[in-house]
Amino acid sequence: MRRTLIALIAVVAVAVTLCAFSQAQVRKTAEEMDLLRVRAAELVRAGDDARAMECLTDFAMRWQKSTPLLEMLTSHDDLHEVAAQLVDAQVCLENGDMDDCLRALAQLGEALRHIEDMEALTLSNLY
């Protein structure tokens, strides 16, 4: 009985640790990406298209590096949505369509928030 209780406590501790690590990693990545997204939007509004594109390229490179870990922690569809909105923002920026670029950047932010919300350690996510 005592060994079973110790094993149960160890398993629960490992599970809680993995959940906390998962949430921390997803939140850290999403926050870093959101800062780049906000910076790109500010540059688009300021009319600095070249620096905005650099910011979006930096976003794309960091996102690509983070994707293998995120694929283990979150939905592939959510990751694809972020990538699709990023490409949309880049294409709009290249074509000089600032309104659509800002729209795509706003949707990119929503996609990042959705990933954070879906991976948050909440009671509803435990089911």
Side-chain angles (χ1 to χ4, degrees):
M1 177 75 174
R2 186 175 175 180
R3 287 184 185 183
T4 305
L5 182 61
I6 292 171
L8 176 67
I9 291 171
V11 168
V12 169
V14 168
V16 168
T17 302
L18 287 174
C19 287
F21 169 76
S22 171
Q23 182 181 9
Q25 193 63 38
V26 168
R27 177 170 283 165
K28 177 183 172 240
T29 302
E31 287 175 356
E32 287 176 6
M33 298 297 109
D34 199 47
L35 288 173
L36 288 170
R37 178 197 66 84
V38 168
R39 180 70 180 137
E42 290 171 352
L43 291 168
V44 168
R45 284 189 196 94
D48 193 348
D49 299 351
R51 287 183 55 206
M53 185 56 81
E54 287 176 15
C55 201
L56 290 177
T57 302
D58 188 29
F59 185 112
M61 289 173 42
R62 288 184 187 192
W63 186 253
Q64 191 172 15
K65 284 175 103 175
S66 301
T67 298
L69 178 62
L70 291 175
E71 284 177 341
M72 292 185 278
L73 305 175
T74 192
S75 164
H76 294 284
D77 292 338
D78 293 340
L79 297 176
H80 176 71
E81 179 66 23
V82 169
Q85 292 303 328
L86 173 61
V87 169
D88 191 25
Q90 287 175 316
V91 168
C92 291
L93 185 58
E94 285 176 357
N95 292 327
D97 192 349
M98 299 311 151
D99 290 336
D100 281 345
C101 180
L102 291 171
R103 175 198 44 79
L105 288 171
Q107 289 175 333
L108 179 60
E110 285 303 311
L112 290 169
R113 278 186 285 287
H114 177 74
I115 289 173
E116 275 189 89
D117 292 344
M118 294 309 294
E119 298 307 316
L121 195 56
T122 61
L123 191 57
S124 64
N125 284 344
L126 294 177
Y127 292 113

